[in-house]
Amino acid sequence: MNTIDHILAKAVEGTRLTPDEGLALFACRDLHKLGRAAHAVTTRLHPEPYRTFNIDRNINYTNVCAAVCDFCAFYRKSADSDAYVLSREELYKKIEETIALGGDQVLMQGGMHPSLKLEWYEELLRDLKARFPTVNLHAFSPPEIWHFHKINKLPLETVLKRLKDAGLGSLPGGGGEILVDRVRKELTKGKALASEWLDVCRVWHTLGGKGTCTMMFGHIETEAERVEHLTRLRDLQDETGGFTAFICWTMQPGHKMADFPEMGAFEYLRTQAISRLYLDNIPNIQSSWVTQGGKIGQVALFFGANDMGSLMIEENVVASAGTVHYLTLEEIKRSIREAGWEPRQRNVFYQLIDEGSVPHSEPRPTGGSAQVPHTSLPVLN
Ligand code: SF4
């Protein structure tokens, strides 16, 4: 057995890979081999006859941000004419629409606003929770929480406990990019460094909270730094067990990084497969059709993903960088069904929340996704 086959066999049987073995997999260009092994691991972890999806809405409550990330075209400075903070009425409306479309959660992320105090966020969460008690508030990426901690001069634990008491339900894994300071210092200014991002998750998990973790790759990082990123997530998961899922995606070139060559499906599928093999303690991996499109998103179910991610009714950050993919709820379900599984709706904790089996006889839409009528669920990513 050659080295790669030996490493893959180890992962398939459930033996943890070392960082050197993870790096050796990144030297392997045999996509099929990596995919087959990742799929064997997924099948071992998820033998069930279904694959899951979620319905939520990404609400970017403000685009004002104290940080500067070279890949981000979304942020504005307070004085910019198109800077905004959404009003409560706008938020209510978006959440009402989400509920009407069968959603159980909103993902609220913003820029890191330089002057909104912690009380503003507490009041916001309390207000939304009082109005929409059944909606999970999946909100504030670790860099935002780190920012709240800095500008309010309060310990992280105090910040997170106060937000939890006010109604924060779970923590999205945004802003992870690559958890290596060399990369973060080069790409971002004024944003949490690697250990700070991890500390936010650690404290949140210690308080009993759950959340997701991410990796955005395909920019200035080396493959060794991807492995370092995955190792840090795996180590924290050993410590806390708080991550429900991992999502990786390729950087969308734009803004100051417009000249960067875009990484395509090969690199995405390869990296996701290696992540599945390496992250032996994170139970779920979400397909990134948001950045890769529906077809690759579907194929990703055979390269380590067991979940189609969210039907995101609105997304602005990736869209600002110029990437727009549309999938309707029906298309998400059909992607899963065509691949051989039953589509099931889940919440952020990966509990099934639908009524079970869905008939296989839904009519095919007559046009491509861009022609879907407005009454169906538009997804802007
Ligand atoms: S990615 Fe987030 S933190 Fe970075 S500039 Fe954009 S909004 Fe701010």
Side-chain angles (χ1 to χ4, degrees):
M1 210 186 265
N2 70 30
T3 315
I4 293 296
D5 288 344
H6 174 71
I7 297 170
L8 295 176
K10 258 182 86 176
V12 168
E13 71 178 27
T15 305
R16 176 165 286 191
L17 302 184
T18 64
D20 282 347
E21 288 170 330
L23 193 54
L25 292 183
F26 273 108
C28 174
R29 315 303 296 177
D30 189 336
L31 182 62
H32 291 110
K33 198 177 252 195
L34 293 169
R36 264 197 312 277
H39 191 52
V41 173
T42 311
T43 308
R44 170 165 55 75
L45 296 174
H46 299 281
E48 54 270 6
Y50 57 80
R51 289 295 179 254
T52 44
F53 64 91
N54 187 25
I55 300 179
D56 73 2
R57 179 170 199 152
N58 193 349
I59 300 177
N60 299 114
Y61 61 91
T62 181
N63 63 351
V64 179
C65 189
V68 175
C69 299
D70 288 353
F71 52 83
C72 178
F74 170 74
Y75 74 91
R76 297 290 181 272
K77 295 298 161 196
S78 303
D80 287 344
S81 59
D82 50 354
Y84 71 79
V85 176
L86 292 183
S87 69
R88 288 292 164 86
E89 283 62 36
E90 287 171 294
L91 286 169
Y92 300 156
K93 193 163 165 280
K94 286 175 188 287
I95 298 176
E96 277 156 11
E97 285 168 4
T98 308
I99 295 171
L101 295 169
D104 72 314
Q105 166 173 289
V106 286
L107 162 55
M108 284 197 302
Q109 294 187 121
M112 302 194 291
H113 198 289
S115 56
L116 296 176
K117 292 298 195 191
L118 188 61
E119 289 73 18
W120 186 88
Y121 295 94
E122 290 180 290
E123 222 178 277
L124 171 73
L125 292 169
R126 285 219 161 82
D127 182 23
L128 297 182
K129 211 61 203 171
R131 266 179 187 254
F132 308 104
T134 61
V135 172
N136 181 50
L137 302 174
H138 185 53
F140 314 134
S141 62
E144 285 170 271
I145 302 274
W146 184 261
H147 172 72
F148 303 164
H149 143 76
K150 295 293 277 183
I151 66 166
N152 292 282
K153 300 186 174 44
L154 287 169
L156 260 186
E157 190 175 353
T158 307
V159 170
L160 283 163
K161 193 160 182 327
R162 279 173 56 174
L163 293 175
K164 190 167 191 257
D165 290 346
L168 180 62
S170 52
L171 209 63
E177 285 94 50
I178 293 287
L179 291 169
V180 175
D181 285 347
R182 180 199 76 81
V183 177
R184 299 183 78 76
K185 283 180 180 165
E186 206 167 310
L187 284 185
T188 71
K189 275 169 208 63
K191 194 171 185 174
L193 294 176
S195 60
E196 296 164 347
W197 190 100
L198 290 161
D199 273 349
V200 171
C201 295
R202 180 179 288 109
V203 174
W204 174 246
H205 297 170
T206 308
L207 291 172
K210 297 283 184 193
T212 54
C213 56
T214 58
M215 174 164 76
M216 184 188 79
F217 63 97
H219 39 86
I220 60 164
E221 88 288 354
T222 62
E223 288 173 343
E225 286 166 335
R226 285 187 210 173
V227 175
E228 195 173 335
H229 175 95
L230 295 173
T231 306
R232 291 196 161 155
L233 295 179
R234 193 172 70 175
D235 287 350
L236 183 60
Q237 182 74 343
D238 274 349
E239 217 181 299
T240 66
F243 292 127
T244 57
F246 169 81
I247 313 114
C248 65
W249 64 85
T250 52
M251 189 200 74
Q252 306 303 300
H255 198 49
K256 291 183 195 155
M257 299 176 84
D259 294 337
F260 266 64
E262 186 173 357
M263 284 205 167
F266 180 87
E267 198 54 30
Y268 160 65
L269 292 171
R270 206 168 77 87
T271 301
Q272 183 186 270
I274 295 170
S275 303
R276 177 64 290 170
L277 296 164
Y278 197 76
L279 296 172
D280 59 348
N281 55 2
I282 297 185
N284 301 291
I285 291 193
Q286 296 181 17
S287 152
S288 183
W289 60 262
V290 170
T291 54
Q292 293 294 322
K295 291 184 171 67
I296 298 301
Q298 182 186 43
V299 171
L301 292 174
F302 293 91
F303 285 79
N306 60 294
D307 182 275
M308 278 295 281
S310 287
L311 170 85
M312 289 195 290
I313 296 155
E314 177 181 347
E315 203 287 329
N316 300 305
V317 180
V318 178
S320 303
T323 299
V324 179
H325 288 294
Y326 295 93
L327 278 191
T328 65
L329 180 59
E330 246 347 285
E331 286 168 329
I332 287 181
K333 288 182 181 177
R334 202 170 67 247
S335 296
I336 296 173
R337 204 175 289 135
E338 276 177 2
W341 291 278
E342 182 189 344
R344 298 290 306 267
Q345 187 182 346
R346 55 133 182 115
N347 61 19
V348 73
F349 308 106
Y350 280 79
Q351 296 160 326
L352 299 177
I353 56 168
D354 59 7
E355 309 220 313
S357 194
V358 184
H360 284 216
S361 56
E362 289 164 58
R364 295 178 70 82
T366 50
S369 50
Q371 296 160 288
V372 169
H374 291 303
T375 48
S376 65
L377 300 177
V379 185
L380 179 60
N381 295 300

